[in-house]
Amino acid sequence: MDAVQYIEFSDGNKMPIIGYGTSLADKEDSLIPAVEAAVDAGYRHIDTAFLYKNEPIIGKALQKIFSKGVVERKDLFITTKLPVNGFKEVKYFCQKSLSNLQLSYVDLYLIHCPMASKRTELDEEVYTVDETGTYQGDYTIDLVTTWKAMEELVDEGLVKSIGLSNFNSLQIQRIYDNARIKPANLQVECHAYLPQYELHDFCKKLNISFTSYGSLASPGFVEYMVNAGMGSQKERLLDDEKLKPICAKHGKTPAQVLLRYLVQRDIAVIPKSVKSERIKENIQIFDFQLDEEDNAALRAMQKNLRIFDFDFLKGMKDHPEYPFNIPF
């Protein structure tokens, strides 16, 4: 495998452009070996969140890796995220994540979503609902105040860099204009069906780096939501016929082509799998280059198909900070 590339943040810190994503991976018997396989395959960037309920498992995996001497803490870039029920208790939730991960700091801490939820006594009840199943948003939250608390985490050495996730351009600008420490990174859904050109260009102007989640249009998440009765079947990006000629041309899989497409746009990717062969395959994207013909074909696949629309609970779209009511 060729050397993994890095993205440099506005604060001078660097993040590997490919990371190992862990959303919907919360089984210890599969996630621990998967994290080990990812590090063995060359990943040096691991992405998680309090919401995923897998930080303690990742903490165990990291300690196992460190004890074997495979890598040291300084060799890994760890991202986690502030849950939407924690906007008034930023330090508390950051410290809870650090305890879960068995770390003294994380490299990147993101506000996971702008739609604050009402707080209950149960920390893990991130998306609070009432007896009718309606989302209980906290409308008293000022995102700028939450950002100021994020800045204090940097001051105290609990996190190296801070950023945002699932924010729109107006929300990003509001944070940016009022920030002492500017957002270093934005993590949003981004793939060939939802390429996010306008939002990416907007972030580049503010010197905010860009991370794609759902880079393969998240077939696992779609299946999970359909099975849970909270979503409908979406088109499978990985099965798109337009990918076949590009894959044949380069001798690569659809996943590798789709990840390479984003990386060549200077967008970080965090593909998720618990299968060791798929984990290895996803990082093998630095030994080929898509040409302009390939990129034109991939650009033509745009459908503005959003998988993660944050409308899986009744009333979510009524939140005043619902991010997808504007074009980008």
Side-chain angles (χ1 to χ4, degrees):
M1 186 199 77
D2 293 343
V4 176
Q5 300 170 10
Y6 287 79
I7 285 179
E8 185 167 352
F9 291 165
S10 57
D11 60 15
N13 294 323
K14 293 182 179 180
M15 177 179 73
I17 200 166
I18 186 165
Y20 177 61
T22 63
S23 175
L24 294 182
D26 58 3
K27 301 293 187 292
E28 186 168 326
D29 60 350
S30 58
L31 184 53
I32 287 179
V35 173
E36 291 182 281
V39 173
D40 287 343
Y43 292 80
R44 295 296 180 264
H45 171 186
I46 298 170
D47 181 277
T48 184
F50 183 84
L51 173 67
Y52 302 163
K53 299 182 180 179
N54 61 15
E55 290 174 326
I57 302 172
I58 293 173
K60 288 181 181 179
L62 292 176
Q63 292 307 310
K64 191 174 180 182
I65 290 165
F66 296 151
S67 67
K68 289 181 177 178
V70 179
V71 293
E72 298 178 34
R73 171 65 186 96
K74 63 180 178 60
D75 301 318
L76 293 182
F77 188 102
I78 309 295
T79 299
T80 194
K81 308 175 189 80
L82 174 73
V84 293
N85 62 331
F87 284 19
K88 292 179 179 176
E89 299 178 74
V90 173
K91 185 175 180 179
Y92 170 81
F93 274 94
C94 178
Q95 290 178 320
K96 196 171 181 71
S97 287
L98 291 175
S99 177
N100 288 340
L101 292 164
Q102 301 184 53
L103 299 174
S104 61
Y105 70 92
V106 291
D107 298 273
L108 179 61
Y109 197 52
L110 305 174
I111 301 178
H112 203 155
C113 177
M115 299 160 55
S117 172
K118 286 185 177 178
R119 184 88 162 84
T120 70
E121 294 181 1
L122 182 64
D123 291 344
E124 284 70 25
E125 193 175 6
V126 172
Y127 293 112
T128 307
V129 297
D130 65 13
E131 63 278 0
T132 69
T134 301
Y135 184 58
Q136 296 298 287
D138 187 343
Y139 299 167
T140 69
I141 294 293
D142 174 17
L143 292 176
V144 171
T145 300
T146 298
W147 185 258
K148 298 296 183 185
M150 295 281 285
E151 293 175 329
E152 291 174 7
L153 300 179
V154 180
D155 296 338
E156 295 182 35
L158 299 176
V159 307
K160 298 290 187 183
S161 299
I162 49 178
L164 307 167
S165 182
N166 300 302
F167 279 53
N168 64 36
S169 58
L170 294 180
Q171 293 164 334
I172 296 165
Q173 189 72 61
R174 193 192 324 158
I175 296 294
Y176 186 91
D177 289 344
N178 291 280
R180 173 172 55 89
I181 300 174
K182 304 299 185 184
N185 183 257
L186 174 71
Q187 185 180 124
V188 292
E189 178 183 355
C190 179
H191 45 76
Y193 283 169
L194 185 72
Q196 299 276 26
Y197 297 127
E198 296 90 351
L199 187 58
H200 187 207
D201 286 342
F202 173 82
C203 286
K204 283 192 282 189
K205 290 176 182 176
L206 297 181
N207 202 15
I208 298 172
S209 65
F210 209 81
T211 297
S212 153
Y213 72 75
S215 306
L216 309 177
S218 303
F221 177 79
V222 171
E223 182 180 1
Y224 171 83
M225 294 296 283
V226 169
N227 291 339
M230 295 189 292
S232 57
Q233 189 61 49
K234 305 287 179 85
E235 296 177 66
R236 281 181 57 89
L237 173 58
L238 287 167
D239 296 335
D240 196 301
E241 290 291 321
K242 298 183 185 69
L243 292 171
K244 290 185 176 179
I246 306 173
C247 294
K249 178 178 178 179
H250 296 283
K252 292 292 182 178
T253 67
Q256 289 170 325
V257 167
L258 291 167
L259 294 171
R260 183 67 197 175
Y261 169 59
L262 295 171
V263 165
Q264 283 189 205
R265 292 176 56 200
D266 202 31
I267 293 173
V269 293
I270 45 172
K272 172 252 172 175
S273 177
V274 293
K275 298 177 180 178
S276 60
E277 287 307 310
R278 188 67 55 79
I279 290 169
K280 293 175 186 175
E281 173 188 298
N282 286 341
I283 202 172
Q284 292 170 351
I285 60 171
F286 298 100
D287 57 354
F288 75 107
Q289 188 85 5
L290 297 172
D291 59 28
E292 182 48 40
E293 181 183 26
D294 302 326
N295 284 316
L298 287 157
R299 285 194 295 270
M301 292 171 64
Q302 176 177 355
K303 298 184 179 200
N304 288 322
L305 176 64
R306 188 179 296 279
I307 306 297
F308 299 85
D309 60 5
F310 288 87
D311 191 28
F312 53 85
L313 294 172
K314 185 169 59 174
M316 292 191 98
K317 283 189 174 180
D318 297 330
H319 197 291
E321 296 290 359
Y322 181 75
F324 306 133
N325 288 326
I326 65 171
F328 69 93

